Every structure is written in C-alpha cells, then in structure tokens.
Amino acid sequence: MNCWEILELEPTSDKKKVEQAYEAKLKMINVEEEPLAFQKLKEAFDSAIFLSGTIIESNRPVELSKPSIEADTAVESNTKGWPVEESQEVPSENEKPKQENNVMVFEQELATVYEKMDFFSDVEKWTPLFSNELEWTSAEHDEIAEIIQTLLRSNYRVLSRQNIDYLDTFCDVDFLAKEHKSDNDFRYIWTQIKHVPPFSFDIYQDIPKEERIEYFTNRYELFQIVEGAVPNQSSWSERLHMCRTLTTKDYDVITLQISYLLLNDFRMEQEQTVIEFKGLLSEAIALKSNKTSDFFSAYYAWVKQKGSTNDVLIYDKSELTIPTTTIDLLMGYVYFKLRRYSHVKKCWEELSKKNPTLFRPQELAMLQPIDVKYVPQKNQKSMWRYVGAVFLLLIALSKISGLVSRNNERNWYSSLSDIQNSFNEENNLETNNVTADLLELKESENLYEQFIYYFYIDREDEDRASFIEANTVGQAKEMAQSMTVSELPEIMIDSRYDFYASPDNVTGYGPVTALTLLDEDEPFIILQEDKEERISAIFGDGWEVLAKDKFKALWSDIQVRPMMSQKFFVVYYLLSDERNENLKDNPEYATENVKILLEKNRSMPIAKEFEAGTWQISQDEEDKLYTIINDKNDEHRFILSYDEYGRLEHIYGDEWETIDDTKKKTIYDNVEEEKIGVY
C-alpha cells in the first residue's frame, strides 16, 4: 500500500487534508500497543506531506475567462504535475502570465523523478534536477535546498548513501542542518540520514512499483531492529514477511536475517542456529559473494574450529554491509576468547548498555570498570577457534581467492566530494609513499598494526615516540626508544592485506602475536604482551634475537591447535611406524603427562582400524572441548581433551587414561552428529 492508500485519501496538494486524514487514522490506533501500525501511519503521513508539495490533482478545475494560447499552455502544464499553491490563479486575458521560475521547474522535475519510482539505485536519475543550477538565484537555491531537506526527511529510509551524498553535494545539507534556518529536529535527523545502511537498491526492479517505498522502508527497519541490539520477534517477523513476500533475492535482507539470528545466539551453541545459519549463508552466497558473506563464513569457521581468529579480525567495519551491532558482537566474542580485554570492551561496552541480556555474568563482569587482573578467569584459547584438517584445502583455496577479490572489492562508492578529498589525500601522501590504505594501520584498534605502521611503513612519523611511551614497557620500550629505525630490515608491505597476524597464548610467554607476510612460511616478527596488553618483548631481525631453535619452537607453539594436536595423535602416532622420530620432532603437541603416555605405548601395533575412522566434536558441562575418535566400525575408541594452549591434555581409552563414567556420559550425550572422516 502506498501512502495515499494508507491514509485513505486521494492524492492532493492540500496539506490540511493530509493532516486531517492522518489525525483521523491516528485516533483508530493505540500507539503503545500497536507501534508498528503507528510507524507505518507516520511514514505514510511524511511521504504524503512531501508529495503534496510536488504534485497536484490532475483533474483540478481551472477557470478561464477567455481561452488564449498562454492560458492553454498554463492548463497543460498544470495537468503534468506543476506545484500550484491554493491561492494561485491562472492569469486573465489582460494579465501577463507569471514567468516560470527555477523553483517551479525543479519541483515539477522532482515530482516526475519521484513518480517513476526508479530513483533508488541510480544517481543519474537525479542529475536532470540540477542541469540548470548555474541559473539559480541565491533565493531560489535556498528554496530548493529546503525542498531537498524535506525530501530527505521523509524519504531517507529508501535512499541509498550514494543518492544522499549526491543531493548533499549540490545543496550542502550538512551546512544547512547547522544553520538557524533549519529547525532543531532536522539537525538531529541529518546524522541519521547521513548514516543510512550501505544497502544496494538494484533489487527495486524485482518489486512492483507501488510496493517499492514500503519494501525499502521495511528493510531499513529490519536493519534498525538489529542495530538496536534488542530482538523484537513480533516486529521483526512482520517486517521480514512483508519483504520476503515481495522478493527472496535481496542479498541485504538475507544478511540481516543472519545478523538477527546471531543476535539471539552469537556463540552458535544451538543446533537450530547452525542449521538456519548455513541455509541463509548458502542462500546469500548463491546471490553474490562479497566481504560480508566472507566475514560470516570466517566467523562460522572460527566458532566451529575450522578457521583462524585472524580470518575474522582482518575485516574492517566499513567493508561490511551489516549493522555495527553485529560486527561488534562477533568480533568482541573472538577477542573475549583471546583474553584481549581492552578490545572486548571497545566492542561490547555500548552493547552491554543497550541489552545486558546478550551477555553472561562473567562477560559482564569483565566489562566493569575494574582492573583486568581481577577478572576471575585464566587466559585460554577458545574451544571454537581451530581448524579441522578436513577443511584445510578449502581454506587455502578461499585465502587465494580472497586475495584476488580484495583488490576488486576494496573500493566502495564515494560521493563526488569524497572522491576529490581522497584524490587530494593521496597526492599529499605520495611524497612519503604512504597510501591511504596503509595510513589506516596507524588508526587501527590492533596494537600490532600500529606497530607495523610506525616501524615498517612510515619511519618518519613524529607520533612514534608517543606510541612507544603509551604501548611498550620494559626491554621492548628501551629497544624501541634507542632503535635506529632506518636500520631495520625493509619489509615489503604495500597493503594492510599483505600480512596476517596469529595471536595466541604460549607457555612461558603468555599473549603473543606473530606477524607473517602472506608469501612467507615464518613470521618476520613476534610481539609479546603483558597483562595490560602493552608490548613487553619484540622478537625478530633487528630486535631481540631468539636462538633459531627457540624462535622456531615459539612459532610452532603459536600454530598449535587442538585439531592439529588430534591429527598428530592419530596420523603421526596411531597410524605411523615412525613414532620415535615424530615424538622427538613434535614435542609441542602434548603436555608432559601425555608425552609420558605416548612414550609408554609407542611400541603398540600400528592401529590400522583408524585408517577409515572418523572423529566428532563434543563438550562437557563447562563447555570444555573434547574430540571423540572412532574406528572404522564407528565405535568410540578415544576421548581427547586439550589444555589452554591447544595441546593434548588427556587421552582416555583402553590402556590409556580412565575417565569418570558421569563425565564420559556427558561427553557422549553432547557429541555433534557430524562425523568427519579426514584428519
């Protein structure tokens, strides 16, 4: 239904009639009990008020004293949508017709644009409105600016960012919002207008013309529900049904469904969440694959131990077309599992104020304004952050394709003014070879990216001293302050995507982050952090040099994951005839107690019954990770558990370790049905 149908009113230029129809309808609604109905009515009222200023009734009677060429022309113009005030009269025979001014022409052309309902995605639909801008007087420019303000106020929910930027380019609405001519209400709403969701509107052609305004309005409201962080199932379901009834091919609506799903279960602990997530993500990727779907894929892989943390954290908010609430919620969870408290607070602090029920007590406690050392939890790796070998090849392929797609997708639409600003910035940066992309590292929330910027990108930045003072301690600070930066090895980094980070907690080191170039096998530097998340040690060429074997051991430990420890046990121990060598070469995959067990049983026969075996994921009542190893007959033979560093902590099974029957039953009851047949 369009605005006139909702108001049960014929299209009119009489604003009083619109107000009367609105008031009559409003009396029939209980605003508190029917917020959705009220919202629809208010949107219809706003749109009708706007339209009343740009169109008139085509059958409006016009009285003429005597026919004339000029009068006939005036009548013809009025039937085509000229805005005519109620007091305006057609000139008599002895009067010279009023000259059409630029404001009237603009209003007529604006009405034409609006009535066609094809202005949603193409900026060129708006360009004819400004074709004679140079002819506008100052007064006409002000009037037209006010018209655009009214247009934006009533219709920003159905306008793309590109169109809003374009309209602002010609009338500087941003400046207008600050002027005394603009009422206070618009000053506040302009901020909301400027930050509409980065939706695509190309889907408009699949939607009936008369339904387009309602469709895009409902899509906007779906976004706002997620952004508000408070699930409202009734309002959500009604608006989603309206959208999905008209089309099932809107990529943005599908990703909003994923966002809403994760708002209710961002840890993805419920089986139904996983089922719906997979279905929606497949549906989205079938339409198009971009950074938003890549982000969701990376998060799912991380949660289900099939991907690295960096594959999630590498994404920038500006690259994604989903609510900031969703991004902060998911990234905050990754940081929470990494024990990176300052980052968690940045992501979750505002969300916890909007909706504290999203979080568990220990998560809320961590967000309280107290020192990190009082948080009653030890650093440990997430049970949901490791990669199963069955997906290693797919992940490798996805990384390769991701590198290619990044170059194609990095640039987003910019307004004409933004393009000019970016051009100027790049020209200014050309002198020191720092691109805008690399400059973002300086403003990054990640300490390791700032470190790379100051010591490997812009070696002349005057803010380096402040960075060292605020973010380094101990030996790291002494080295950084006395370092001759020009003597550091040259690292070829042309983009923030030329390297990746591997954050981890390592025995004897604590929190560390290895930084590795994409085409290298080993990191060029490893940063160690203290409890306050400041850099306390820097290992690498030009910094503190670890003995080659120690550096290799540290890097190997950083790469330890539960699934890799499991693979070591099954492939390089149970199925291997070189156990002695493998135990000697790979000490990082087992705790000292397990090493004793492995040494004790190393003479056992090769367990060929596991060549066609499978494994499954499970957990106990405290969400601790376990994997169950099945033989070729699908019989449970081993239960493996892991310590906080991803190493084998226990091997439960015949002739190995025993486990409490109650605990064993819990683990078997919680096992995931999916059986994976590749290690």
Side-chain angles (χ1 to χ4, degrees):
M1 298 175 66
N2 60 37
C3 61
W4 304 114
E5 292 172 334
I6 293 173
L7 293 170
E8 295 185 1
L9 184 68
E10 289 295 324
T12 178
S13 62
D14 190 339
K15 290 181 172 60
K16 289 184 179 179
K17 290 183 180 180
V18 176
E19 292 171 355
Q20 290 171 355
Y22 170 70
E23 291 172 359
K25 283 289 184 181
L26 187 59
K27 293 178 181 178
M28 302 168 62
I29 295 176
N30 186 318
V31 177
E32 294 183 358
E33 296 180 2
E34 302 175 274
L36 185 58
F38 170 70
Q39 181 66 26
K40 289 180 62 176
L41 180 61
K42 182 64 169 61
E43 291 166 0
F45 171 72
D46 290 340
S47 295
I49 285 293
F50 166 71
L51 288 173
S52 67
T54 58
I55 63 173
I56 65 167
E57 301 87 342
S58 60
N59 60 349
R60 186 176 186 177
V62 179
E63 302 252 346
L64 296 174
S65 55
K66 286 186 180 180
S68 66
I69 297 176
E70 292 85 358
D72 288 343
T73 303
V75 173
E76 182 181 353
S77 298
N78 282 334
T79 63
K80 292 181 180 179
W82 280 77
V84 181
E85 299 296 334
E86 291 294 331
S87 59
Q88 184 175 341
E89 296 179 357
V90 176
S92 63
E93 178 183 9
N94 298 323
E95 290 179 327
K96 184 178 180 181
K98 293 182 179 179
Q99 185 176 1
E100 302 166 2
N101 62 36
N102 289 313
V103 176
M104 295 174 66
V105 173
F106 182 88
E107 288 180 326
Q108 179 186 18
E109 292 178 347
L110 177 58
T112 301
V113 169
Y114 198 91
E115 288 168 355
K116 287 181 178 179
M117 285 293 158
D118 61 357
F119 56 81
F120 303 101
S121 64
D122 191 353
V123 171
E124 292 184 1
K125 301 295 183 182
W126 298 91
T127 55
L129 296 174
F130 303 94
S131 59
N132 64 338
E133 183 192 12
L134 296 178
E135 301 175 9
W136 298 351
T137 65
S138 177
E140 288 174 336
H141 191 283
D142 289 345
E143 281 191 64
I144 290 173
E146 292 290 341
I147 293 171
I148 292 176
Q149 175 183 318
T150 302
L151 167 72
L152 291 172
R153 182 201 300 272
S154 301
N155 296 277
Y156 70 92
R157 301 175 187 85
V158 300
L159 293 175
S160 67
R161 281 188 182 180
Q162 297 95 318
N163 286 334
I164 291 173
D165 287 342
Y166 180 79
L167 293 173
D168 184 35
T169 299
F170 282 92
C171 63
D172 197 356
V173 185
D174 202 9
F175 175 78
L176 181 65
K178 299 175 184 177
E179 288 290 280
H180 66 277
K181 295 178 182 179
S182 181
D183 60 81
N184 291 333
D185 179 54
F186 188 73
R187 296 185 188 182
Y188 297 112
I189 201 172
W190 175 234
T191 300
Q192 191 170 359
I193 293 173
K194 288 192 297 183
H195 296 95
V196 294
F199 288 147
S200 167
F201 284 79
D202 294 339
I203 195 71
Y204 81 88
Q205 297 179 68
D206 291 347
I207 303 168
K209 180 178 177 181
E210 66 276 6
E211 304 283 359
R212 291 171 185 171
I213 294 294
E214 182 179 18
Y215 178 87
F216 291 126
T217 299
N218 279 310
R219 187 177 68 172
Y220 175 88
E221 293 303 329
L222 289 175
F223 185 97
Q224 293 303 110
I225 290 173
V226 178
E227 187 73 334
V230 180
N232 184 330
Q233 190 60 47
S234 175
S235 180
W236 172 267
S237 297
E238 185 172 350
R239 292 183 180 278
L240 179 62
H241 176 72
M242 292 176 182
C243 289
R244 297 286 279 184
T245 298
L246 292 173
T247 180
T248 59
K249 297 180 180 180
D250 191 337
Y251 178 89
D252 291 317
V253 168
I254 297 172
T255 56
L256 282 175
Q257 287 181 264
I258 296 175
S259 297
Y260 187 79
L261 183 68
L262 295 177
L263 188 62
N264 289 278
D265 180 20
F266 65 87
R267 303 173 192 86
M268 302 190 76
E269 296 170 328
Q270 301 172 23
E271 182 179 358
Q272 188 59 35
T273 299
V274 175
I275 294 173
E276 290 184 31
F277 178 91
K278 287 182 177 179
L280 289 169
L281 186 57
S282 296
E283 192 176 346
I285 293 175
L287 291 173
K288 64 179 176 180
S289 180
N290 62 13
K291 291 190 176 181
T292 298
S293 58
D294 290 345
F295 172 71
F296 282 135
S297 297
Y299 182 76
Y300 176 75
W302 174 80
V303 166
K304 294 302 179 183
Q305 312 159 47
K306 302 169 185 175
S308 71
T309 55
N310 192 63
D311 286 344
V312 181
L313 300 180
I314 195 173
Y315 289 92
D316 187 275
K317 292 180 182 180
S318 63
E319 299 173 327
L320 307 175
T321 59
I322 51 178
T324 301
T325 289
T326 304
I327 304 169
D328 287 342
L329 192 62
L330 304 190
M331 287 190 168
Y333 187 47
V334 177
Y335 283 125
F336 181 80
K337 289 299 184 179
L338 286 174
R339 319 310 300 160
R340 301 300 176 95
Y341 294 112
S342 62
H343 293 303
V344 176
K345 197 166 185 177
K346 289 178 183 178
C347 291
W348 281 2
E349 189 169 31
E350 290 303 316
L351 284 176
S352 67
K353 295 175 182 178
K354 290 182 180 179
N355 185 8
T357 63
L358 290 172
F359 307 103
R360 290 172 176 165
Q362 65 268 32
E363 295 166 344
L364 290 173
M366 184 275 301
L367 295 172
Q368 296 304 311
I370 57 178
D371 194 83
V372 172
K373 64 184 180 182
Y374 293 110
V375 177
Q377 297 183 31
K378 296 180 180 179
N379 285 330
Q380 59 180 350
K381 292 179 182 175
S382 165
M383 63 170 288
W384 300 124
R385 62 187 292 252
Y386 307 110
V387 56
V390 66
F391 296 103
L392 288 179
L393 179 59
L394 293 178
I395 290 174
L397 292 175
S398 68
K399 282 186 175 293
I400 294 172
S401 63
L403 292 176
V404 176
S405 65
R406 282 183 182 124
N407 288 329
N408 295 331
E409 297 176 6
R410 190 167 299 159
N411 295 322
W412 187 249
Y413 179 90
S414 299
S415 67
L416 297 178
S417 60
D418 287 340
I419 291 174
Q420 183 62 45
N421 291 337
S422 297
F423 179 77
N424 292 336
E425 288 177 4
E426 289 178 8
N427 282 343
N428 293 335
L429 292 171
E430 260 184 15
T431 57
N432 60 4
N433 296 319
V434 179
T435 66
D437 182 50
L438 290 174
L439 192 61
E440 292 178 3
L441 295 174
K442 180 179 179 179
E443 306 300 328
S444 170
E445 296 179 352
N446 297 317
L447 193 61
Y448 65 83
E449 290 190 324
Q450 295 179 47
F451 179 87
I452 286 180
Y453 174 82
Y454 285 114
F455 290 97
Y456 293 98
I457 305 298
D458 189 351
R459 303 190 177 198
E460 299 178 1
D461 194 295
E462 59 185 16
D463 293 332
R464 182 185 300 106
S466 299
F467 169 81
I468 294 172
E469 182 63 32
N471 298 292
T472 61
V473 294
Q475 186 176 359
K477 175 175 281 190
E478 293 176 6
M479 295 188 72
Q481 289 175 332
S482 60
M483 173 67 64
T484 302
V485 182
S486 60
E487 296 179 0
L488 285 173
E490 291 287 339
I491 303 295
M492 297 303 296
I493 298 178
D494 298 322
S495 164
R496 65 186 305 172
Y497 302 110
D498 286 346
F499 65 92
Y500 65 93
S502 302
D504 200 5
N505 293 306
V506 177
T507 306
Y509 293 90
V512 296
T513 301
L515 302 172
T516 311
L517 296 175
L518 290 174
D519 56 353
E520 298 290 338
D521 295 326
E522 291 189 352
F524 62 90
I525 206 163
I526 298 177
L527 305 178
Q528 181 181 357
E529 297 179 19
D530 66 4
K531 293 181 180 179
E532 279 70 44
E533 299 182 26
R534 294 176 298 181
I535 299 172
S536 57
I538 308 167
F539 305 112
D541 191 5
W543 300 90
E544 183 177 348
V545 179
L546 284 177
K548 188 173 182 180
D549 59 336
K550 288 187 177 181
F551 189 89
K552 183 177 180 180
L554 176 56
W555 174 230
S556 296
D557 209 331
I558 291 172
Q559 297 178 89
V560 171
R561 302 289 185 264
M563 297 305 101
M564 294 302 294
S565 299
Q566 171 189 277
K567 180 177 181 178
F568 167 76
F569 174 64
V570 177
V571 177
Y572 296 102
Y573 187 87
L574 292 180
L575 296 173
S576 176
D577 57 0
E578 298 180 348
R579 289 174 184 163
N580 290 337
E581 292 81 357
N582 293 336
L583 286 173
K584 182 180 179 180
D585 295 340
N586 300 278
E588 66 272 12
Y589 291 114
T591 60
E592 293 303 318
N593 290 335
V594 171
K595 287 178 185 176
I596 295 173
L597 283 173
L598 294 172
E599 287 284 350
K600 176 183 176 182
N601 293 327
R602 64 182 179 177
S603 61
M604 65 181 290
I606 296 176
K608 294 184 178 181
E609 64 270 26
F610 293 100
E611 289 180 348
T614 60
W615 59 276
Q616 296 165 276
I617 295 172
S618 187
Q619 56 189 338
D620 61 16
E621 65 279 357
E622 297 177 351
D623 291 343
K624 181 177 176 62
L625 171 69
Y626 295 85
T627 54
I628 298 173
I629 308 300
N630 309 311
D631 61 20
K632 62 183 180 181
N633 298 318
D634 275 343
E635 291 185 13
H636 298 329
R637 295 287 296 276
F638 293 102
I639 297 176
L640 307 181
S641 72
Y642 309 89
D643 72 357
E644 57 192 311
Y645 301 106
R647 301 174 300 181
L648 287 167
E649 182 180 39
H650 293 287
I651 302 174
Y652 300 110
D654 294 342
E655 301 181 14
W656 293 82
E657 295 180 86
T658 58
I659 186 172
D660 178 79
D661 288 340
T662 302
K663 173 80 73 174
K664 183 177 182 179
K665 183 178 185 302
T666 300
I667 294 171
Y668 283 161
D669 289 344
N670 291 338
V671 68
E672 290 192 3
E673 292 184 5
E674 182 181 10
K675 295 179 180 178
I676 302 173
V678 179
Y679 290 96

